[in-house]
Amino acid sequence: MTDPSYSFLRDEPVIVSAGAAIFDEALHGQAVPLTVVDWAPPRFADSAHIASVTSDPRRHAANQQALDRVLTARSELVDVRPASEALGLKPGQFLHAGPPITWDRASGPMRGALIGAMIFEGLAANAEDAERALAGDNVELDSCHHHDAVGPMAGVISPSMWVFELRDPVHGGTAYCSLNEGLGKVLRYGAYGPEVIDRLTWMSTVLGPALQTAVRAAKTVDCATILAQMLQMGDEGHNRNRAGTLMLLRDLLPHLVASGVPARDLAEVCRFVGGNDHFFLNLVMPTAKLAMDAGRGVPGSSLVVAMARNGTDFGIQCSGTGDQWFTGPANKPEGLFLGQYGPDDANPDIGDSAITETIGVGGFSMATAPAIVRLVGGDVNFALTTSRKMYEITLGEHPMYSIPILEFRGIPCGIDALAVARTGILPQINTGMAGALAGTGQVGAGLVTPPEKCFTDAVAALAAARPSTA
């Protein structure tokens, strides 16, 4: 027994179990010492693709580089401008939420928002005129994400709408987002009645110019710091933004008062912003986009840099695969409904607001906002469990954004497409629900996850992009 190859026979055998629990139970029943390894086969995606991406020697360094960029990004509101000026949009050009889509595949709320935008721009006298024009060749549609922009729900941005302009002073990025209209019958939920058009007109003639004057006088507003603070005050940054909205108003109010805006307009601006708990959502979204865009373009990285929905498709993008979208059919949220509306009235998931979950707020940070779970149909235990579970599919924790009830642990940040495919844990999103029929508006709020296909296809693309020598 001096041969080293027999050395394992000198010691007591050790049994390691992985996989089916029935083996653990049988050995425990016989009082056999046992080490159990928590392992399960990949829940979805091709095993060969998962093995290829897992063994890619570039992956760990690439993911760390991409994540470091995300974690060090900052966000400052620097201006408020018409989209024609900020984004260069011309009459007949419209941006929308989610991956690219054509009119013939557009969902009800997306169609409703585009119809409303056509009427608002004076390009159509009514819905019938707008639909004919949108089905023709003289209207251009493109994804907000392709223009450094994001938009909640339908996310439609037209040339005359005003947008927030934010910059990342660390990495140099710029991001844009429309101004939030409030809840109920609003354009982003697909409504286009006279009250919607009147509100958009007021936002472009009074609200936008007043905010521009105040922001330019303030020089900058530190939106990253406000996001960090609001997470300590019961907001999760997607469906609850009450503290963030009031902190923004606190920062801008002195400049609004000193701006010379007529008193009646000033009062209406303050009433509109202060009474709209979602107003700061449209600053959380570009703040998240600035950070995730900083993490783009690292070969070999499986970091998810965008999640977005257009009401028909759910799409994701990864750092290591450029601007390629990986899409699947959008799921329908489950939650609570307004008034007489029910599940049959809801459209599938829609909006760029999932960029908040992409960075780790919103559904990922529900533990910090117990009040939100009553809006989206969960409970406090669900919120705590969900936030803890999201750490299993993320690459790190954010040092600036933390969750008090989890001992001020940093939010789960940086979704790893590979980890999602291996664990089967899908990113949790909380969201508003738009009516399936154009013109309806909001019908409720709830919870939803992306389709598995997005991550299956992303892992396949990452495997295909791996150099043969890597």
Side-chain angles (χ1 to χ4, degrees):
M1 288 292 181
T2 56
D3 188 330
S5 62
Y6 294 105
S7 61
F8 70 94
L9 295 178
R10 290 196 296 269
D11 302 319
E12 286 293 323
V14 175
I15 302 176
V16 177
S17 170
I22 188 173
F23 299 116
D24 309 344
E25 294 165 2
L27 292 169
H28 277 305
Q30 300 173 62
V32 175
L34 178 68
T35 298
V36 178
V37 177
D38 185 14
W39 177 87
R43 299 300 175 89
F44 50 83
D46 185 279
S47 297
H49 295 155
I50 286 183
S52 177
V53 177
T54 302
S55 61
D56 187 340
R58 305 170 303 163
R59 185 170 63 88
H60 289 293
N63 279 342
Q64 191 61 57
Q65 180 185 355
L67 181 64
D68 286 346
R69 293 181 186 173
V70 172
L71 299 182
T72 54
R74 296 300 296 262
S75 170
E76 296 176 344
L77 172 62
V78 296
D79 209 348
V80 186
R81 295 196 284 162
S84 58
E85 180 183 318
L87 294 164
L89 293 183
K90 308 294 184 188
Q93 294 180 324
F94 301 94
L95 305 185
H96 63 78
I101 194 164
T102 52
W103 171 254
D104 60 301
R105 294 188 66 245
S107 63
M110 181 64 75
R111 288 186 172 216
L114 288 167
I115 289 169
M118 288 284 289
I119 296 172
F120 169 64
E121 292 290 339
L123 299 176
N126 51 48
E128 292 73 22
D129 287 347
E131 288 187 86
R132 278 193 292 272
L134 287 161
D137 298 327
N138 296 322
V139 171
E140 297 179 28
L141 307 181
D142 200 6
S143 167
C144 287
H145 272 284
H146 295 177
H147 299 264
D148 299 322
V150 280
M153 302 310 289
V156 169
I157 301 176
S158 67
S160 299
M161 295 178 186
W162 284 57
V163 294
F164 290 122
E165 180 174 332
L166 290 81
R167 288 183 187 157
D168 171 8
V170 177
H171 303 287
T174 302
Y176 304 91
C177 189
S178 54
L179 310 184
N180 194 286
E181 312 160 70
L183 296 174
K185 285 194 173 296
V186 290
L187 187 88
R188 72 179 189 278
Y189 278 96
Y192 55 81
E195 73 275 28
V196 176
I197 306 304
D198 289 346
R199 186 186 306 111
L200 290 174
T201 301
W202 177 81
M203 291 173 68
S204 293
T205 55
V206 177
L207 178 64
L211 291 175
Q212 181 186 68
T213 301
V215 170
R216 288 181 177 180
K219 306 298 183 185
T220 62
V221 176
D222 188 342
C223 292
T225 295
I226 292 179
L227 176 56
Q229 292 176 320
M230 60 194 274
L231 290 171
Q232 311 300 303
M233 301 168 71
D235 286 352
E236 42 70 78
H238 189 165
N239 270 294
R240 184 178 169 90
N241 296 273
R242 180 172 296 179
T245 295
L246 294 178
M247 282 189 280
L248 174 71
L249 193 58
R250 174 201 62 186
D251 288 356
L252 293 182
L253 193 54
H255 303 290
L256 283 168
V257 172
S259 67
V261 173
R264 178 174 298 179
D265 289 343
L266 175 61
E268 192 56 30
V269 166
C270 293
R271 186 179 300 113
F272 181 82
V273 175
N276 176 6
D277 290 346
H278 279 63
F279 198 77
F280 198 74
L281 168 64
N282 292 40
L283 289 164
V284 176
M285 290 173 59
T287 292
K289 180 162 176 61
L290 283 172
M292 301 319 301
D293 279 358
R296 287 179 179 267
V298 182
S301 172
S302 51
L303 172 72
V304 175
V305 294
M307 296 195 296
R309 323 81 108 195
N310 56 35
T312 303
D313 308 311
F314 193 115
I316 70 170
Q317 294 176 310
C318 290
S319 176
T321 52
D323 293 331
Q324 184 177 358
W325 287 98
F326 305 101
T327 63
N331 294 323
K332 187 179 287 190
E334 297 180 1
L336 302 178
F337 293 88
L338 303 174
Q340 300 301 313
Y341 293 120
D344 292 340
D345 300 308
N347 193 77
D349 197 16
I350 185 170
D352 284 334
S353 56
I355 193 71
T356 61
E357 278 82 10
T358 313
I359 195 176
V361 295
F364 280 45
S365 295
M366 280 195 293
T368 202
I372 194 63
V373 297
R374 301 191 68 178
L375 173 67
V376 297
D379 55 35
V380 173
N381 284 335
F382 173 81
L384 289 167
T385 301
T386 298
S387 290
R388 290 183 176 121
K389 186 182 293 184
M390 293 301 101
Y391 290 103
E392 297 184 39
I393 58 169
T394 47
L395 294 168
E397 300 176 15
H398 204 290
M400 183 172 179
Y401 308 137
S402 62
I403 301 175
I405 200 169
L406 298 183
E407 301 294 342
F408 294 95
R409 187 176 182 182
I411 62 170
C413 183
I415 299 166
D416 182 1
L418 178 63
V420 173
R422 290 175 64 176
T423 64
I425 299 173
L426 291 164
Q428 181 66 66
I429 298 166
N430 62 38
T431 185
M433 284 189 273
L437 296 177
T440 302
Q442 185 177 9
V443 299
L447 301 164
V448 71
T449 56
E452 296 176 0
K453 182 177 182 299
C454 299
F455 298 92
T456 300
D457 291 351
V459 170
L462 286 163
R466 176 181 170 172
S468 57
T469 55

